[in-house]
Amino acid sequence: MTIEKLEKKLIPLKAKLIKHKLYNKINNSKKLCLFMETHVFAVWDFMSLLKKLQQNLTCTSIPWKPSNNPLAARLVNEIVLGEETDLNKKGLILSHFEMYVSAMNQVGANTEHITKFVKEINSKNNINNYIISSSIPEYVKDFLIFTFNIINSNKNHEIAAVFTFGREDLIPDMFLKIVKKINSSKKINCDNLIYYLERHIEMDSEEHGPMALKMIKTLCGNDNNKWEEALKCSKDALIHRIKLWDNIEKSLN
């Protein structure tokens, strides 16, 4: 299989996500806040996928040893640089997750749940048990548990596939027009969110998207089993995203 064939097989699920009814429901500031209060969990767990790749593909322990896959190590380090330590609108160094939380605060969304969740979770927790026992909605729990099951598989090609095809690269274009429309109404200031989305579009199209595709190609190589596993995980990730959107849409009704 090739990366082009894998992408082609994902077109039907991507189309279903892009045409989802949720987007038309986000038509005022209150619904934007409600959406962000759930979506922020997907922004957060995205970073765990990325950091697991960095952990596996580079050396993060002492004594240092060379990577078995220097190209993949270079690619993942480049992506981490942008996602974990980017510049916000004021030129301050922040992760994209922190930028999103800042945007939530600006529009008046409730950040209490995500702040408490991230503060209390740590490496000593059994992640899935912590998620299950938390007070977040069941459909958010299902989404997060899928993510951490992929991470715990420790299969780099699967983690990279979910990171690349099932996550944030699908979001910015879909929401930028909606957010700009709400912003132009003068009823709410969404400048930070607009910057976050525009930054994602810029980095994903010019840098991170091509890097992630190259990373999958080098991780799968000529192993057809790995390509098939990458395809299955990508489909599963898109299905979980669609389910998350279904439930957010219901909550907005």
Side-chain angles (χ1 to χ4, degrees), residues 100-115:
Y100 195 89
V101 173
S102 174
M104 290 177 68
N105 285 322
Q106 185 183 46
V107 301
N110 186 343
T111 60
E112 180 183 346
H113 298 300
I114 186 63
T115 301

Side-chain angles (χ1 to χ4, degrees), residues 129-158:
N129 286 347
Y130 176 80
I131 292 169
I132 291 168
S133 65
S134 71
S135 60
I136 59 178
E138 290 299 320
Y139 58 87
V140 181
K141 292 180 183 179
D142 291 342
F143 185 86
L144 295 178
I145 287 171
F146 167 76
T147 298
F148 284 97
N149 284 343
I150 291 294
I151 290 170
N152 292 333
S153 75
N154 212 34
K155 293 183 176 182
N156 293 328
H157 58 288
E158 292 188 357

Side-chain angles (χ1 to χ4, degrees), residues 149-174:
N149 284 343
I150 291 294
I151 290 170
N152 292 333
S153 75
N154 212 34
K155 293 183 176 182
N156 293 328
H157 58 288
E158 292 188 357
I159 299 168
V162 171
F163 173 86
T164 303
F165 296 117
R167 305 312 304 260
E168 304 309 303
D169 63 310
L170 297 166
I171 307 308
D173 280 316
M174 293 185 280

Side-chain angles (χ1 to χ4, degrees), residues 181-227:
K181 186 176 180 180
I182 293 173
N183 188 64
S184 66
S185 70
K186 307 300 181 184
K187 294 180 180 179
I188 187 172
N189 184 4
C190 308
D191 285 356
N192 287 346
L193 182 56
I194 289 172
Y195 178 86
Y196 167 88
L197 293 171
E198 289 179 334
R199 187 72 177 135
H200 253 294
I201 292 169
E202 176 189 355
M203 296 185 78
D204 287 345
S205 61
E206 296 179 9
E207 301 173 26
H208 294 178
M211 287 179 185
L213 293 176
K214 192 180 290 186
M215 181 163 51
I216 290 174
K217 285 193 282 187
T218 191
L219 290 174
C220 289
N222 296 318
D223 189 328
N224 198 53
N225 286 334
K226 286 185 177 180
W227 281 109

Side-chain angles (χ1 to χ4, degrees), residues 19-202:
K19 295 176 182 177
H20 202 284
K21 293 182 291 184
L22 169 65
Y23 311 121
N24 290 330
K25 297 287 178 69
I26 306 173
N27 52 20
N28 58 48
S29 59
K30 182 179 180 180
K31 289 182 178 179
L32 175 63
C33 289
L34 290 172
F35 167 79
M36 293 181 75
E37 288 165 14
T38 301
H39 179 233
V40 67
F41 285 91
V43 177
W44 169 76
D45 78 338
F46 169 80
M47 286 302 301
S48 290
L49 287 165
L50 177 57
K51 296 301 284 186
K52 181 64 173 180
L53 287 170
Q54 187 183 41
Q55 188 180 83
N56 286 357
L57 298 174
T58 72
C59 184
T60 57
S61 60
I62 305 298
W64 177 85
K65 294 181 181 180
S67 170
N68 293 325
N69 193 330
L71 174 59
R74 171 62 182 260
L75 293 169
V76 74
N77 276 335
E78 290 276 2
I79 296 172
V80 168
L81 176 65
E83 294 288 345
E84 191 173 37
T85 53
D86 200 8
L87 297 176
N88 73 357
K89 191 178 178 183
K90 296 180 179 179
L92 301 175
I93 299 172
L94 289 176
S95 67
H96 283 190
F97 168 75
E98 290 167 301
M99 287 187 198
Y100 195 89
V101 173
S102 174
M104 290 177 68
N105 285 322
Q106 185 183 46
V107 301
N110 186 343
T111 60
E112 180 183 346
H113 298 300
I114 186 63
T115 301
K116 181 175 183 289
F117 185 89
V118 173
K119 184 178 180 180
E120 291 182 356
I121 201 166
N122 60 61
S123 60
K124 294 179 182 179
N125 296 133
N126 178 304
I127 302 297
N128 283 358
N129 286 347
Y130 176 80
I131 292 169
I132 291 168
S133 65
S134 71
S135 60
I136 59 178
E138 290 299 320
Y139 58 87
V140 181
K141 292 180 183 179
D142 291 342
F143 185 86
L144 295 178
I145 287 171
F146 167 76
T147 298
F148 284 97
N149 284 343
I150 291 294
I151 290 170
N152 292 333
S153 75
N154 212 34
K155 293 183 176 182
N156 293 328
H157 58 288
E158 292 188 357
I159 299 168
V162 171
F163 173 86
T164 303
F165 296 117
R167 305 312 304 260
E168 304 309 303
D169 63 310
L170 297 166
I171 307 308
D173 280 316
M174 293 185 280
F175 282 100
L176 187 56
K177 290 181 181 178
I178 295 170
V179 174
K180 282 186 173 180
K181 186 176 180 180
I182 293 173
N183 188 64
S184 66
S185 70
K186 307 300 181 184
K187 294 180 180 179
I188 187 172
N189 184 4
C190 308
D191 285 356
N192 287 346
L193 182 56
I194 289 172
Y195 178 86
Y196 167 88
L197 293 171
E198 289 179 334
R199 187 72 177 135
H200 253 294
I201 292 169
E202 176 189 355

